[in-house]
Amino acid sequence: MSTTATSKPRLVTPQFVLLGSAALAYFLADGMLVPAVPRYVAGELTGGNIAVGLAVAGFSLSALVLRPWAGRLADRRGRSIAMVGGGIIFAASVAGYGLTDSVWELAALRLLTGVGDAFFFVGALTAMSDLAPTERRGEAISLFSLSLYVGLALGPPIGEALVGVGFTTVWLASAGCALVAVLLALRVGDTREPVAASVEAVPGRLLPRAAVIPALLLLALVWGMAGFLAFVPLYALDLGLPGAGFLLFGFAGIVVVIRSAGARLPDQLGAARSVRMSLLCTTIALATIGLWRSVPGLVLGTAVLGIGVALGTPAIMTLALNRAPAAERGAVMGVVSMSIDLAQGLGPTTFGLAAAATTRNGGFLAAALIAAAGLALAWRSVRR
């Protein structure tokens, strides 16, 4: 009996598959909105560039602010409640898009959609960490992230196709996928360990200490990637290429291959070593693009960046989970995942400012300095 209690469960269980399926349905719903919302604002609501930016940014703003509270709710009341509540809010707000007559009404609903995203995403991410054996957390995060990549790869083309039928069709299809995610989340149930569930009434920190260093490391990693994704289409034209489609496809392909076929690498190498390798690759990649102004330099830098990003996120999340008490996993995941939202805003902004002051090469070099700062922090702080 003691052996059974202490044995490690296998990773791919029916509950893990249900969770991954729920995440896939949710990210598919999210992906449908990527092309549809800007076109709806510019077309149906006759809004300009500022209006498009306002409608798109509202989602990220509320999601960013509420992630720590979503994590705390997941710790106190269960991961399933966070996912189910978040999915329902997401579905209801998206279904209401077609009832809006102004950009401001849509922006308000987009804020509500961001609320749903914060709770569903943090709840799902924390549930995944509960289901993963300690020695396979990096592999679990790698496999879980594939649902995001697949959903955001298939969602936009589906959304664009449905726009031809009508925007109402897009909103209802997206809301329907979110409700499928809710039904699957109900089947997943509460994944908390007994020790975590037993202390739900005990107040904890909104910003747990275990999350601080991993959050800064993830910020440094995603910062450069966000700037790269925003400006590489323009930089490719600077170098005389017809576009950056093949580069972005190759970048995503490297990430997907490493996180699937090489899903165990963060666990085999160790979280600390994988984090350092990731930030080193990211620094070298961005510096290569910035210093070697040529097509080979861009191709090589893109490939190395893909390796860094593929290794980095699972390793950093694993590092955070290894430091977090079971009763604070939700709060830790909420705070660490905030870095993704911050980096997606700060990365392109700082890249643009550096490029305006120098050239686009200067933007890549500025992003390399941020990654190098993260590497220095990893060497100084991550000792185990």
Side-chain angles (χ1 to χ4, degrees), residues 3-375:
T3 303
T4 303
T6 59
S7 62
K8 300 295 184 182
R10 60 193 178 95
L11 176 58
V12 183
T13 62
Q15 200 174 17
F16 189 88
V17 172
L18 275 174
L19 178 62
S21 301
L24 177 59
Y26 173 79
F27 290 124
L28 187 63
D30 194 8
M32 291 183 194
L33 303 179
V34 172
V37 169
R39 292 178 63 172
Y40 184 69
V41 174
E44 300 293 312
L45 301 182
T46 64
N49 291 330
I50 295 178
V52 171
L54 179 66
V56 173
F59 171 88
S60 298
L61 179 62
S62 56
L64 167 66
V65 172
L66 287 174
R67 288 198 195 280
W69 278 273
R72 183 53 60 198
L73 174 71
D75 285 332
R76 293 171 62 86
R77 302 301 179 191
R79 324 322 189 186
S80 182
I81 290 178
M83 287 190 287
V84 170
I88 291 174
I89 293 172
F90 183 100
S93 62
V94 171
Y97 286 3
L99 304 177
T100 58
D101 295 321
S102 69
V103 173
W104 293 108
E105 291 176 355
L106 179 63
L109 284 176
R110 289 288 290 167
L111 286 171
L112 196 58
T113 305
V115 174
D117 178 80
F119 284 90
F120 186 93
F121 181 80
V122 173
L125 187 62
T126 310
M128 177 277 305
S129 71
D130 294 337
L131 297 176
T134 302
E135 67 275 12
R136 300 183 69 178
R137 280 176 177 162
E139 180 184 1
I141 296 170
S142 294
L143 294 176
F144 179 81
S145 70
L146 292 178
S147 63
L148 185 152
Y149 278 89
V150 172
L152 295 184
L154 298 179
I158 293 174
E160 286 186 337
L162 293 178
V163 165
V165 180
F167 285 103
T168 300
T169 305
V170 181
W171 312 144
L172 293 180
S174 176
C177 283
L179 290 177
V180 170
V182 168
L183 293 176
L184 291 171
L186 285 169
R187 294 285 304 277
V188 172
D190 192 2
T191 60
R192 289 178 298 172
E193 297 177 9
V195 64
S198 66
V199 296
E200 65 178 23
V202 179
R205 295 185 181 186
L206 189 62
L207 300 176
R209 184 176 300 176
V212 175
I213 295 299
L216 292 174
L217 295 173
L218 188 59
L219 179 65
L221 175 71
V222 181
W223 191 310
M225 183 195 72
F228 167 85
L229 293 176
F231 283 90
V232 75
L234 300 176
Y235 185 64
L237 297 178
D238 292 344
L239 297 181
L241 293 171
F246 78 98
L247 290 166
L248 295 175
F249 180 82
F251 172 81
I254 290 171
V255 174
V256 170
V257 168
I258 291 178
R259 295 213 183 152
S260 54
R264 295 184 181 182
L265 281 174
D267 296 319
Q268 293 171 340
L269 295 172
R273 182 181 298 174
S274 296
V275 169
R276 292 193 291 266
M277 289 178 60
S278 167
L279 287 165
L280 178 60
C281 286
T282 303
T283 302
I284 292 173
L286 294 168
T288 299
I289 298 173
L291 294 173
W292 190 2
R293 184 181 169 83
S294 67
V295 173
L298 178 57
V299 172
L300 177 61
T302 299
V304 177
L305 182 63
I307 296 171
V309 171
L311 284 175
T313 303
I316 292 170
M317 292 288 188
T318 300
L319 189 70
L321 289 169
N322 289 345
R323 295 180 169 194
E328 288 191 342
R329 281 182 191 158
V332 168
M333 289 294 94
V335 172
V336 173
S337 64
M338 283 177 62
S339 298
I340 300 174
D341 299 303
L342 279 174
Q344 288 176 341
L346 294 174
T349 301
T350 55
F351 191 110
L353 291 173
T358 56
T359 63
R360 289 197 178 107
N361 294 80
F364 286 109
L365 292 176
L369 289 176
I370 299 296
L375 178 60

